[in-house]
């Protein structure tokens, strides 16, 4: 849960454009990192992650939104662990 996402989306118009794009591109599960430095999505495998990045890149370019950096990265150590689901 990111309690800063809604206030950040309200305060910075460009973030809302990206939120809408991600939702419409099938990346509604992406979340804002902190107060707006980036969006991120978690995937079980590289193929799914790369496919979504290609979709997001294609859709963003068609709407005149250019990303500054977009890549698939792996967590350090043993990765993320879900402690509970809401």
């Amino acid at each position: 849960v990111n309690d800063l996402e809604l206030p950040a989306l309200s305060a910075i118009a460009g973030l809302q454009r990206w939120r809408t794009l991600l939702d419409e591109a099938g990346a509604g599960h992406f979340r804002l990192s902190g107060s707006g430095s980036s969006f991120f999505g978690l995937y079980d495998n590289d193929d799914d992650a790369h496919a979504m990045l290609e979709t997001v890149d294609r859709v963003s370019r068609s709407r005149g939104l250019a990303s500054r950096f977009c890549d698939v990265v792996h967590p350090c150590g043993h990765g993320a662990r879900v402690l509970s689901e809401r």
Side-chain angles (χ1 to χ4, degrees), residues 23-85:
D23 291 344
E24 293 174 359
H29 65 285
F30 277 44
R31 289 293 164 251
L32 193 64
S33 174
S35 60
S37 59
S38 62
F39 284 96
F40 69 93
L42 302 176
Y43 287 86
D44 289 328
N45 62 69
D46 284 3
D47 291 340
D48 291 345
H50 282 288
M52 181 51 69
L53 287 184
E54 289 175 13
T55 298
V56 168
D57 184 53
R58 181 177 37 78
V59 173
S60 66
R61 289 177 189 276
S62 74
R63 295 185 186 186
L65 291 172
S67 62
R68 293 185 187 138
F69 178 76
C70 194
D71 201 2
V72 174
V73 297
H74 297 268
C76 296
H78 298 289
R81 187 175 70 171
V82 176
L83 300 176
S84 66
E85 293 186 32

